[in-house]
Amino acid sequence: MQTPNHDVMVLEDPGWVRPVADPRWHPGMIARLLMLSTQGGLHSIFFPNELSRVLTGEYWDWLAAATATFPEGPIGIYGLGGGTVVRIIHNYWPHRKMKAWELDAIVLSISKDYFGLQDLVDSGILDLEIADALQPDASIDDGFAGIVVDLFTSTVVLPELYEEQTWRDIRSRLRPGGRIVTNLGDMGLAANDPTTRAWKAMQAAFEGAVLASERLYMTRDEALVALSGPEPATWELPEPLKHCGQGWLLAADFTNAISTPD
């Protein structure tokens, strides 16, 4: 389906779930996938016949795990897609309220009808806005405890995220102690690589006080998930997410680690 912003496809793939190390896997398990590009940009995963299953083994798990480092308060979701990260957060932190922005009305409708979000909307846990998440009014009065940023065009992080000022604007929407966690895509080492540019801009906006998951980067095709703020004293995570709290490095250490040959 063509929209003004995306080439939208919803696929059901029983084979996709096999690579995920999950003892509950069985031949009838189906993964419903939201694709927003003909180039293969996978934006969300949902297991319609296994509603208790929310973890994916991919970057969404790391984004959701950052909730453990947020102070109390609502969470902003910039770039809803099909709401994979929303379902993970709700599963492990059911008291957390979330407000999500999605630019594409058709994608938002699909997320409710085919990716299991309507119940969260009806219960008041999730508030949805059809709007640009980078506009100044994508905020709340007392600030967010955390903001999850997952904004892409096709398979590339949004160009606005190459700019330090964009990250400073997002930072201004946090309450004291709040953090931003973001998916920046697959990282190349060239200076003009989109993910590298967004990573450097985020570091500048937080004066270098940014962490990255070396564990995710090394095991998931150089995927970069970054978290603002100093290293947490502890990650109080439920057992299925404990691995997502391991292997985080401050920006300078992370850059050195991925630049140094084995």
Side-chain angles (χ1 to χ4, degrees):
M1 179 186 302
Q2 181 75 49
T3 78
N5 305 295
H6 301 293
D7 292 306
V8 181
M9 294 178 287
V10 176
L11 308 175
E12 289 198 348
D13 182 1
W16 188 92
V17 299
R18 285 179 180 267
V20 179
D22 190 332
R24 294 176 296 170
W25 184 86
H26 57 79
M29 188 177 286
I30 293 172
R32 185 172 292 164
L33 313 178
L34 176 64
M35 317 290 286
L36 298 183
S37 168
T38 56
Q39 298 177 23
L42 174 59
H43 283 255
S44 297
I45 304 171
F46 178 56
F47 302 100
N49 62 348
E50 298 280 345
L51 295 181
S52 64
R53 176 178 177 171
V54 295
L55 296 182
T56 66
E58 302 294 338
Y59 77 88
W60 296 281
D61 301 355
W62 273 260
L63 290 177
T67 302
T69 73
F70 299 162
E72 283 301 316
I75 297 171
I77 309 291
Y78 287 5
L80 176 69
T84 301
V85 72
V86 167
R87 285 191 302 279
I88 300 171
I89 292 172
H90 179 64
N91 188 76
Y92 293 105
W93 293 273
H95 67 288
R96 289 280 193 168
K97 292 196 173 183
M98 291 170 271
K99 184 163 186 173
W101 279 262
E102 172 55 54
L103 186 61
D104 197 312
I106 291 176
V107 171
L108 189 145
S109 179
I110 287 171
S111 75
K112 293 189 290 184
D113 294 342
Y114 296 97
F115 287 80
L117 293 190
Q118 186 63 59
D119 288 348
L120 294 184
V121 173
D122 292 344
S123 69
I125 289 293
L126 178 63
D127 184 18
L128 300 178
E129 295 279 349
I130 304 171
D132 183 352
L134 297 180
Q135 292 302 307
D137 58 357
S139 59
I140 58 175
D141 288 343
D142 295 327
F144 288 110
I147 299 175
V148 181
V149 180
D150 194 6
L151 296 172
F152 282 72
T153 176
S154 184
T155 59
V156 179
V157 66
L158 279 187
E160 290 89 337
L161 298 179
Y162 307 165
E163 304 297 329
E164 176 185 342
Q165 188 58 50
T166 300
W167 292 104
R168 290 192 178 277
D169 291 343
I170 300 173
R171 181 180 183 178
S172 71
R173 303 171 196 176
L174 294 170
R175 64 182 52 190
R179 294 178 185 259
I180 295 167
V181 64
T182 180
N183 167 37
L184 295 178
D186 298 341
M187 187 175 188
L189 296 179
N192 63 347
D193 170 73
T195 294
T196 300
R197 292 175 66 184
W199 168 234
K200 290 181 176 178
M202 185 182 182
Q203 289 180 63
F206 285 89
E207 296 83 41
V210 181
L211 300 154
S213 174
E214 183 190 23
R215 177 169 183 162
L216 176 66
Y217 178 88
M218 294 299 188
T219 60
R220 293 294 186 274
D221 299 320
E222 301 181 343
L224 179 59
V225 167
L227 176 67
S228 69
E231 186 171 1
T234 183
W235 289 73
E236 304 247 352
L237 287 167
E239 189 62 36
L241 284 172
K242 281 192 180 297
H243 65 286
C244 297
Q246 301 166 359
W248 289 83
L249 299 177
L250 287 169
D253 296 329
F254 175 80
T255 300
N256 288 337
I258 66 172
S259 302
T260 302
D262 293 333

